[in-house]
Amino acid sequence: MAMALEAGFKALANEKRLRIMDWLKEPTTHFRPQVDGDLVKDGVCGVSITEKLGVSQPTASEHLRILVDARFLTGKKIKQWIFYQRD
């Protein structure tokens, strides 16, 4: 339990990750409609999150991985993309 709590605090101790969590609270407000996947039902494509965050793809992937590992987000693969939503 203590390790999960620590991972959670570390995951949220970053401004960009907090921003991602905030955006995903109301995905239709913060992201444009997607060709594949419904913003609410399926989540937001990692590419859209990367673009909005204004960082490189590897950097965004690391932020998203940390949030998934801490169980704040879940990832769902549709075609070749991964869609993220709050857990």
Side-chain angles (χ1 to χ4, degrees):
M1 174 67 180
M3 290 302 286
L5 193 58
E6 185 178 334
F9 284 132
K10 284 184 179 180
L12 296 177
N14 178 282
E15 181 188 334
K16 288 187 181 348
R17 291 193 286 271
L18 284 173
R19 207 173 308 152
I20 292 168
M21 292 298 295
D22 186 52
W23 293 337
L24 294 181
K25 193 184 312 180
E26 296 180 39
T28 56
T29 301
H30 297 283
F31 296 94
R32 66 186 183 282
Q34 306 171 131
V35 175
D36 294 307
D38 179 84
L39 286 170
V40 175
K41 187 171 72 80
D42 301 311
V44 178
C45 181
V47 173
S48 296
I49 296 170
T50 300
E51 289 172 359
K52 189 167 179 77
L53 208 51
V55 297
S56 68
Q57 187 274 323
T59 299
S61 291
E62 180 66 6
H63 286 306
L64 292 165
R65 181 195 64 76
I66 289 167
L67 290 168
V68 168
D69 287 352
R71 298 192 174 149
F72 287 115
L73 300 182
T74 56
K76 175 181 186 178
K77 188 168 178 145
I78 300 175
K79 296 185 179 176
Q80 73 268 36
W81 314 111
I82 299 179
F83 293 74
Y84 296 91
Q85 61 189 152
R86 289 169 62 123
D87 193 1

